[in-house]
Amino acid sequence: MANISLLLFVLALSLSAVLATDPSTLQDFCVANPIGQGNSICKDSKVVEANDFLFSGLHIAGNTTNSVGSKVTPVFASQLPGLNTLGISMARIDIAPWGVNPPHTHPRATEIFTVLEGTLEVGFITSNPENRHFRKVLQKGDVFVFPIGLIHYQRNIGYNNVVAIAALSSQNPGAITIGNAVFGATPEISSEILTKAFRLDKTIINYLQSIF
Ligand SMILES: *[C@@H]1O[C@H](CO)[C@@H](O)[C@H](O)[C@H]1NC(C)=O
């Protein structure tokens, strides 16, 4: 009897470890079908070609002329159909001097972040109630990890552009930018809720809602 409970315990442990990642694949690959063409989940493997596993263009700098001074160029399954079902993805991040990649989370992925150019401040915050803030200044060649689901940010603190590559542990990591989600929801979250939640004046909440 004791042996059976032990077995069940080990089984439960291994099961939870498996459920903590994207599901494992059932075939070599499953290239995503372009929307509206065919009704199978995977593109017919006989017509799959090398280009289905290729994305070109990550050498091109993102346009950082915007209100935050940064640009994320994603390479997810929608940009690279061959990534479908493989459980990983990538992005290029460009940040102009003093620009920020605003606080956001990836609900489905851990992010491992490699600095190719520049100097930046990065950080992430743990869940309630501690809300511990881990922060670090990164230089070219540094690699930093943002654990799955946690709010994180980046800010260029140098005089040159920051270029970084992020690898993510999901083909579809998702991104929730805190300001946009809270103040820019459609339809909007009632300002009575936000006034109380953020302990701010209604005029400030209305202003924040207008800019997001
Ligand atoms: C970058 O974006 C800005 C603002 O949208 C635009 O005015 C500018 O032409 C863009 N630059 C390039 C090189 O595309």
Side-chain angles (χ1 to χ4, degrees):
M1 210 45 151
N3 280 346
I4 289 174
S5 346
L6 186 68
L7 187 72
L8 283 176
F9 178 68
V10 170
L11 240 163
L13 268 187
S14 57
L15 203 67
S16 65
V18 167
L19 292 173
T21 64
D22 281 4
S24 55
T25 53
L26 298 172
Q27 61 282 306
D28 285 353
F29 51 75
C30 170
V31 173
N33 245 329
I35 292 161
Q37 289 180 26
N39 54 9
S40 65
I41 296 167
C42 310
K43 186 172 172 179
D44 183 348
S45 61
K46 287 189 281 298
V47 298
V48 166
E49 50 185 58
N51 277 341
D52 288 320
F53 302 97
L54 173 73
F55 172 89
S56 295
L58 225 49
H59 62 297
I60 299 167
N63 185 345
T64 56
T65 308
N66 54 51
S67 58
V68 290
S70 71
K71 184 73 180 181
V72 176
T73 307
V75 188
F76 297 169
S78 34
Q79 287 80 26
L80 176 43
L83 268 183
N84 189 42
T85 75
L86 298 183
I88 57 169
S89 58
M90 182 169 268
R92 171 181 171 135
I93 296 106
D94 289 278
I95 315 176
W98 311 108
V100 299
N101 186 7
H104 63 280
T105 105
H106 303 292
R108 293 177 289 277
T110 286
E111 171 174 342
I112 184 164
F113 183 94
T114 306
V115 183
L116 302 184
E117 298 293 340
T119 303
L120 73 165
E121 174 188 356
V122 303
F124 68 83
I125 298 98
T126 67
S127 51
N128 301 348
E130 290 83 6
N131 298 134
R132 198 163 157 215
H133 182 191
F134 291 89
R135 71 175 280 279
K136 193 75 193 164
V137 171
L138 305 182
Q139 314 283 351
K140 179 173 182 164
D142 287 349
V143 178
F144 198 80
V145 64
F146 302 108
I148 183 168
L150 300 188
I151 294 175
H152 59 281
Y153 64 85
Q154 294 113 25
R155 178 170 76 130
N156 186 345
I157 56 169
Y159 294 97
N160 299 307
N161 292 332
V162 159
V163 181
I165 296 289
L168 297 129
S169 63
S170 167
Q171 67 174 46
N172 185 22
I176 302 169
T177 305
I178 309 308
N180 302 54
V182 172
F183 298 109
T186 313
E188 64 187 22
I189 301 175
S190 110
S191 57
E192 283 71 32
I193 294 171
L194 297 177
T195 303
K196 194 149 233 166
F198 289 94
R199 294 168 233 177
L200 288 173
D201 197 84
K202 193 158 188 281
T203 53
I204 298 173
I205 295 294
N206 290 343
Y207 169 72
L208 287 170
Q209 288 184 316
S210 72
I211 56 171
F212 279 102

